[in-house]
Amino acid sequence: MKAPMNDYLAELLEICGEDDGAVADYIPELAGADPDRFAVAIATLDGQVYSAGDADVEFTIQSISKPFTYAMAIHDQGLAGVLERIDVEPSGDAFNEISLEPSTGRPRNPMINAGAIAAHALVAGDDADKRSERIVDLYSRLAGRDLSVDEQVFESELSTSDRNMAIAYMLKTVGTLTDDPADVVRGYIRQCSVSVTVEDLARMASVLAANGVAPDGTRVLEPGVTRQVLSVMATCGMYDAAGDWLTTVGIPAKSGVAGGLIGVLPGQVGIAVFSPRLDEHGNSSRGVRTFEKLSADMGLHLMEAPESARSVVRVPKAQADDAPSVHEVAGDLRFIEAERVLRGLEAEPEDDGVVVIDLHRVHRVHDVARRMLLEGIRRLRIDGHEVRLVDPDGLLPDPDVDVSEPGDDTPSEDYTPQVFDTVDDALDA
Ligand code: GLN
């Protein structure tokens, strides 16, 4: 069978191919880019990549490097250390605005150049070369192949980098930069000049979507780091078009001046589009259109609640007096599912009857659900019940609870429910 996904993507390019906008020309080398290039790619969390159009054309990552370097700065310095230097408020300004927050002297966010240059300098490394090397190495691990710097674009941007130099010197005056500003800008421009394809970008985005885990199961970024990065992408990733983008497309995103654009749908996919003509905000015109269409076609807007939750909670029907009741859960056990389970357990009369909690069709118990479930077990026990768990995969390890009466002189008393592989075993016990 021919992959329907690829055909859909090819169709998408046809629909969104109007040739409005203009190629960036403030970096001489970018002015020569073929304006008609157009490509799209989608990468799933398990490493499947679908693409259409000019999927093997390389271009420079430019500002799409910013979220990934920000992630590395947080990894190296800790979130508090980075927040001290770079804020997370949307600026509503253009990407290369020469401005700092008046009250704190911090760049407004890490997605505009001021914040991105500051973030670059926070990456650990003895000098600019070492920092750039570590950064390229991280991008390569995210893309799943060795990436390198396009030296021509790098030299070209370096020769016209007065504005970024101005930003870096300004950062030095407020103490945000302690290194040589020219050296930091050099490193920052190297990070912007890493050469990628639209498929590389989709893969990089998919690792953010997977909470930092690569398709082969290796952890590349910590979950707390990806959450921070995606939040900032959602509010600041599209510069002064961020609000419009979040309401229409509804996907955390980042654009680059070479025409790349990534979107990250947490827990689902990484998406990338490449087309060099830019709109008035400096975002790829066709890229924006393609994302709008994709999001509408596929129902990808983050703020659109799914119609039916994936998880099911079955509360037992009334049974014969002495028959054990079975509370069954399937899918993911998060706050809302645990709340439903607790509601079912609350209806149990206070007696010594057996209560079975069946988790055999659950695939994940989130920490909050674990705490809520254990509290439910504790209260059932205090009411006099015997609790039996059906948990063949050990999703609720160490389910022991403290059932001692509150008060200083009561010694603590633990209760551990029996665990079974099947509901029948639990009922027969
Ligand atoms: N390297 C570019 C710059 O600093 C990146 C800008 C962008 O992609 N928006 O100007």
Side-chain angles (χ1 to χ4, degrees):
M1 184 183 97
K2 239 178 106 209
M5 282 290 291
N6 288 331
D7 288 348
Y8 167 72
L9 293 180
E11 224 171 90
L12 196 62
L13 295 187
E14 263 170 48
I15 297 169
C16 303
E18 193 190 323
D19 60 358
D20 51 336
V23 173
D25 56 7
Y26 75 100
I27 300 173
E29 194 64 25
L30 293 187
D34 178 351
D36 294 321
R37 296 292 193 190
F38 194 12
V40 57
I42 292 187
T44 64
L45 306 199
D46 61 357
Q48 180 70 42
V49 180
Y50 302 99
S51 63
D54 300 309
D56 47 11
V57 170
E58 299 210 349
F59 53 95
T60 48
I61 188 168
Q62 297 299 340
S63 284
I64 302 169
S65 64
K66 290 170 179 173
F68 301 106
T69 297
Y70 181 55
M72 195 164 209
I74 298 170
H75 172 84
D76 291 352
Q77 309 289 340
L79 181 57
V82 173
L83 286 175
E84 235 170 69
R85 302 265 171 89
I86 310 165
D87 201 3
V88 289
E89 293 305 330
S91 69
D93 288 332
F95 69 91
N96 56 3
E97 189 67 22
I98 305 184
S99 73
L100 296 173
E101 244 170 29
S103 53
T104 62
R106 288 178 300 178
R108 286 205 169 77
N109 67 69
M111 300 294 114
I112 55 172
N113 288 13
I117 291 170
H120 176 91
L122 289 174
V123 168
D126 293 337
D127 53 32
D129 286 344
K130 189 72 208 146
R131 271 200 295 269
S132 304
E133 223 174 88
R134 286 191 63 226
I135 287 171
V136 176
D137 185 58
L138 171 68
Y139 298 176
S140 300
R141 281 197 288 147
L142 293 162
R145 74 171 182 112
D146 284 342
L147 301 176
S148 56
V149 171
D150 181 327
E151 298 292 343
Q152 251 170 306
V153 174
F154 167 68
E155 292 296 342
S156 176
E157 182 169 358
L158 197 59
S159 69
T160 56
S161 57
D162 295 340
R163 203 175 169 94
N164 282 330
M165 290 290 177
I167 291 172
Y169 279 96
M170 171 184 72
L171 290 171
K172 183 147 193 206
T173 64
V174 293
T176 296
L177 283 194
T178 46
D179 295 320
D180 172 24
D183 215 33
V184 173
V185 169
R186 208 175 155 271
Y188 162 75
I189 292 178
R190 276 194 92 66
Q191 105 178 24
C192 290
S193 304
V194 169
S195 195
V196 289
T197 65
V198 78
E199 292 194 354
D200 292 329
L201 287 182
R203 284 201 181 86
M204 294 172 79
S206 77
V207 182
L208 288 180
N211 245 327
V213 179
D216 66 3
T218 51
R219 176 163 290 290
V220 188
L221 298 167
E222 297 307 311
V225 175
T226 55
R227 191 184 75 174
Q228 178 74 11
V229 170
L230 291 179
S231 306
V232 174
M233 283 169 68
T235 51
C236 315
M238 300 299 278
Y239 310 121
D240 42 342
D244 193 21
W245 174 271
L246 191 61
T247 51
T248 54
V249 178
I251 299 176
K254 187 71 205 81
S255 64
V257 81
L261 178 50
I262 62 167
V264 178
L265 205 59
Q268 299 192 48
V269 284
I271 306 169
V273 183
F274 163 57
S275 189
R277 288 197 192 90
L278 309 180
D279 64 16
E280 68 274 25
H281 307 288
N283 301 321
S284 168
S285 305
R286 285 170 168 176
V288 170
R289 220 167 15 246
T290 306
F291 265 96
E292 282 171 355
K293 178 89 179 111
L294 244 176
S295 174
D297 280 1
M298 308 281 217
L300 303 181
H301 199 298
L302 265 189
M303 303 304 167
E304 216 164 284
E307 270 170 27
S308 59
R310 268 171 46 224
S311 308
V312 189
V313 178
R314 261 187 218 109
V315 174
K317 295 194 194 77
Q319 307 215 34
D321 276 356
D322 54 346
S325 51
V326 181
H327 298 252
E328 185 196 325
V329 200
D332 261 17
L333 200 51
R334 293 160 301 185
F335 172 75
I336 38 163
E337 290 80 17
E339 183 275 335
R340 286 286 291 135
V341 176
L342 286 185
R343 224 190 299 173
L345 297 179
E346 270 171 43
E348 292 289 342
E350 274 182 45
D351 61 25
D352 58 1
V354 171
V355 175
V356 177
I357 302 176
D358 174 13
L359 303 178
H360 89 276
R361 289 167 63 202
V362 169
H363 33 81
R364 183 156 174 219
V365 179
H366 293 253
D367 184 55
V368 58
R370 173 187 168 81
R371 285 181 276 135
M372 290 167 78
L373 224 54
L374 290 180
E375 181 59 19
I377 293 171
R378 195 179 76 83
R379 290 184 185 210
L380 285 174
R381 183 61 189 170
I382 289 172
D383 283 356
H385 291 285
E386 180 191 339
V387 181
R388 297 179 189 163
L389 279 179
V390 180
D391 184 15
D393 300 322
L395 293 176
L396 199 72
D398 309 322
D400 42 320
V401 290
D402 180 357
V403 289
S404 49
E405 292 296 326
D408 284 342
D409 45 358
T410 3
S412 82
E413 186 196 333
D414 280 351
Y415 170 67
T416 308
Q418 266 189 289
V419 181
F420 301 87
D421 280 349
T422 66
V423 178
D424 285 346
D425 288 352
L427 292 176
D428 292 347

